[in-house]
Each structure stands twice: as C-alpha cells, then as structure tokens.
Amino acid sequence: MYFNNFNKFSSLIFIFLMVTTSCNEDPITYNIRNLIGFYKATTFTEPGSHDGGVDILANGGELTVQFTENYTVSGHLFIPDSIESNYPPMDTNYSGIFTIDNDIVRFKNTHYILNEPQLYFIVKNGRLETEEVIGRGATFKIILEKQ
C-alpha cells in the first residue's frame, strides 16, 4: 500500500516537474495590427560627411513610412542637397517588405538606406526607434511616430 501511494505521488511530482520545466517563456511577438499605419520621422540624424552631424529633418528632409497588414512597406524619403549628409541627395518614393520579430522591425527590398542589414527599428511606446549609434562625435538615430 505504501509503495503504491509512493508511486502515485512520485508520478505526480514527475509530471509537475515536466510541465513546469518544459514550458519556456517564448518572447511575445509584437502584434502586427498595432504596427499597421502611417508614420512620420520626428528624428533623423546622422554623422554627416564632416564631424558634427546632420539633422536631416531640420534641413528640410523627410521620411514617411506606411505599413500594411500584408507585410509591405512604402513611403517617401527626401534628403536635401548641400546639407553634407553621408547619403546622396534624394527625393523618392520607395516600397518593399518588412519583417517583424518580437519588437524588431526590419525593411527589405526598399533599395535605400532603410534596407541596410544593420538597420532595424525597435517598437517602443507606439513609436519605432533605431538604436542610437555614435560616430565621429555625432549620432545616427531615426524615430518614427504613428500619425
């Protein structure tokens, strides 16, 4: 009798341990429905071609982004001439696709700076932000806010 109860008890403990240890906490994937919409850059700075950096937006530049539920991205990128940006002057519409993994958003097939492999956006408080990267005394940073 004691042996039977012990086996039942040990089986319950074994099942409990298996259930509690085998369930790892998978990161929560960001809900795409929260991402869909139109965004406008409120910050777009980069180190520039000389020390000191360039504020693309303060110099008349623009970056807009539209995310759709079928994982396409489109928008407008304007980098004015003569602002000493590392990027060539451009005034173009772009389109491509995006991926989202947890809270990381990456653009693909846009053929512009947004497509660079090291560039990604982090979803933070309803905004999309790049990591702040410091180079030659200035920062590269983009913040997109939903409109």
Side-chain angles (χ1 to χ4, degrees):
M1 181 90 161
Y2 174 74
F3 186 74
N4 247 356
N5 286 339
F6 178 76
N7 278 342
K8 287 179 187 176
F9 181 72
S10 63
S11 294
L12 286 174
I13 288 178
F14 178 75
I15 291 170
F16 174 77
L17 288 174
M18 288 300 292
V19 168
T20 58
T21 59
S22 67
C23 294
N24 63 2
E25 290 186 27
D26 291 331
I28 297 171
T29 299
Y30 190 76
N31 188 335
I32 188 172
R33 283 174 278 181
N34 296 333
L35 182 67
I36 294 169
F38 181 78
Y39 292 75
K40 189 172 185 175
T42 56
T43 300
F44 188 176
T45 60
E46 54 107 348
S49 57
H50 303 290
D51 292 345
V54 173
D55 186 332
I56 304 287
L57 302 179
N59 284 288
E62 178 182 61
L63 173 60
T64 62
V65 178
Q66 175 78 41
F67 294 102
T68 67
E69 102 181 3
N70 63 352
Y71 293 90
T72 61
V73 61
S74 61
H76 183 251
L77 176 60
F78 176 59
I79 298 178
D81 195 7
S82 303
I83 63 170
E84 299 182 4
S85 171
N86 281 326
Y87 302 109
M90 65 179 76
D91 187 1
T92 189
N93 294 322
Y94 65 88
S95 63
I97 62 171
F98 71 92
T99 61
I100 185 164
D101 185 18
N102 298 318
D103 62 349
I104 303 293
V105 177
R106 293 181 192 274
F107 294 0
K108 296 183 179 196
N109 305 324
T110 62
H111 306 292
Y112 294 103
I113 59 174
L114 301 171
N115 201 47
E116 294 180 6
Q118 71 274 14
L119 181 67
Y120 59 90
F121 291 86
I122 303 168
V123 179
K124 289 184 180 179
N125 303 319
R127 306 184 323 177
L128 297 171
E129 300 184 22
T130 61
E131 292 286 343
E132 191 169 283
V133 178
I134 299 174
R136 293 191 329 265
T139 60
F140 177 89
K141 180 76 174 179
I142 299 175
I143 297 175
L144 300 170
E145 294 197 26
K146 198 169 192 177
Q147 302 297 296

